[in-house]
Amino acid sequence: LSNPFELFGQWLDAAIDEKLIEANAMIVATVSASGVPSTRTVLMKMWSQDGFVFGSNFSSQKGDEIALNPHVSLLFYWAALERQVRISGTCARCTDEESNQLFERRPVDARISATVSPQSQVIPDRAWLEAETAQLRQSLDPGTAPERPDFWGGYRVTATAFEFWQGRSNRMHDRIRYQLEGNAWKADRLAP
């Protein structure tokens, strides 16, 4: 395929069709101010040729690292299919409107958690977190959820490179790399 997004869509659909748990889970790699890489798993909430979107606390470790260095790497790994996709690109905050839409689609408990949790910060103990959660729940009218806090929102990773890896039992894996050159994608086959 001449467009890596088409292949990504086919592979993601295959993972979903196989009913893999959290087929939309992706590892996000960032780099600290001192150059130390950091990875974590997040859930991709939307994707298109404009990018791959996830939500997070802007003041979290990943948020701080993205603010310092917007170059990130994503990894989707579907072990049952012997497939992985690596994506390199730049990361930026989504618009407020997009972030509001992401937040409103979250289950109420996830909205509450995002509102009370000072993600990546040291907290006294679990009891403190549970007390903050209970306090917020009590402050809400029945059947309502908190509005999106200013410190939470969406991030979009705009891809500049993809690598598709298909495992094979003889270890002669298939690796196809796509790199953005100007406005076109250049595809190459890599040795396993």
Side-chain angles (χ1 to χ4, degrees):
L1 298 171
S2 61
N3 182 328
F5 294 97
E6 292 177 45
L7 184 54
F8 178 82
Q10 291 174 9
W11 281 24
L12 178 62
D13 287 347
I16 292 168
D17 290 346
E18 283 291 317
K19 297 185 177 17
L20 300 183
I21 296 172
E22 306 286 17
N24 61 324
M26 62 184 184
I27 297 168
V28 178
T30 56
V31 179
S32 73
S34 59
V36 177
S38 178
T39 59
R40 78 283 291 152
T41 304
V42 302
L43 296 178
M44 175 188 63
K45 295 300 183 179
M46 298 185 300
W47 74 276
S48 70
Q49 292 196 29
D50 293 331
F52 299 83
V53 176
F54 64 94
S56 185
N57 185 312
F58 295 142
S59 298
S60 65
Q61 179 181 346
K62 82 177 87 52
D64 290 344
E65 291 174 353
I66 290 166
L68 287 171
N69 181 349
H71 297 281
V72 302
S73 182
L74 307 177
L75 176 69
F76 292 86
Y77 179 57
W78 302 296
L81 300 175
E82 291 189 79
R83 288 180 173 170
Q84 76 174 16
V85 181
R86 294 187 325 151
I87 301 168
S88 297
T90 55
C91 190
R93 289 185 186 185
C94 293
T95 65
D96 284 343
E97 181 180 330
E98 291 169 318
S99 291
N100 288 339
Q101 291 170 1
L102 278 176
F103 197 73
E104 289 166 8
R105 288 200 311 238
R106 292 168 64 95
V108 172
D109 286 344
R111 289 187 249 176
I112 289 171
S113 174
T115 303
V116 302
S117 173
Q119 189 177 6
S120 302
Q121 306 306 311
V122 174
I123 59 173
D125 52 31
R126 179 77 188 185
W128 177 89
L129 192 59
E130 290 172 0
E132 292 291 309
T133 300
Q135 183 178 354
L136 177 58
R137 283 186 194 283
Q138 289 172 355
S139 73
L140 295 170
D141 290 332
T144 65
E147 292 186 18
R148 178 181 68 87
D150 291 340
F151 57 78
W152 191 97
Y155 283 101
R156 175 176 283 105
V157 177
T158 303
T160 55
F162 286 76
E163 183 188 312
F164 294 86
W165 176 89
Q166 175 66 66
R168 293 182 177 270
S169 59
N170 63 2
R171 308 300 293 168
M172 293 295 282
H173 312 305
D174 285 318
R175 292 175 63 197
I176 306 297
R177 179 182 61 198
Y178 289 85
Q179 293 179 297
L180 188 59
E181 295 185 357
N183 292 324
W185 289 96
K186 180 180 182 290
D188 294 298
R189 178 174 288 276
L190 304 178

